[in-house]
């Protein structure tokens, strides 16, 4: 039986090379959607911003640069100082992200 993984954390949004903003974030994996990972950003907006991407992409991105297009990941450093970088590029047009219906 698979279990849900729901982790709250802070991510750092890079605004400029010298300016970063800490953003409350939620990382979610649910067995009913076994191939996706959802990441929810609780930025200073009316609604949280949700992205979904392939869990295999996340697993690969921890080890080496991965992804293309809207979602790209790459690791920096190793061990306790390891950092996973995540670059998100939304498609043009109005936002359509909505959290999964069970939330």
């Amino acid at each position: 039986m698979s279990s849900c993984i729901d982790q709250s954390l802070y991510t750092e949004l890079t605004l400029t090379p010298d300016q970063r903003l800490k953003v409350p974030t939620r990382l979610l994996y649910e067995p009913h959607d076994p191939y996706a990972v959802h990441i929810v950003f609780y930025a200073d907006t009316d609604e949280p911003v949700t992205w979904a991407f392939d869990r295999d992409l996340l697993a690969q991105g921890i080890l080496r640069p991965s992804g293309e297009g809207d979602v790209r990941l790459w690791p920096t450093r190793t061990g306790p100082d390891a950092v996973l970088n995540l670059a998100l590029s939304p498609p043009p047009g109005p936002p359509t992200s909505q959290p999964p219906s069970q939330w």
Side-chain angles (χ1 to χ4, degrees):
M1 176 163 79
S2 299
S3 61
C4 175
I5 298 172
D6 187 345
Q7 180 66 50
S8 295
L9 57 127
Y10 282 92
T11 56
E12 285 188 349
L13 173 63
T14 302
L15 303 172
T16 68
D18 298 326
Q19 186 180 17
R20 295 174 186 214
L21 176 67
K22 286 193 181 227
V23 177
T25 304
R26 183 175 171 209
L27 191 61
L28 182 68
Y29 167 80
E30 295 182 287
H32 77 275
D33 192 4
Y35 300 107
V37 174
H38 298 269
I39 187 166
V40 184
F41 299 97
Y42 296 94
D44 212 7
T45 59
D46 292 338
E47 298 290 326
V49 177
T50 302
W51 281 76
F53 53 93
D54 186 80
R55 70 175 184 168
D56 290 338
L57 177 62
L58 178 61
Q60 291 171 6
I62 292 170
L63 303 173
R64 65 184 175 278
S66 301
E68 56 185 62
D70 294 353
V71 179
R72 292 177 291 121
L73 300 112
W74 66 98
T76 49
R77 300 192 295 262
T78 58
D81 293 329
V83 172
L84 178 63
N85 298 280
L86 173 65
L88 303 173
S89 302
T96 59
S97 289
Q98 296 193 5
S101 59
Q102 21 321 60
W103 291 2

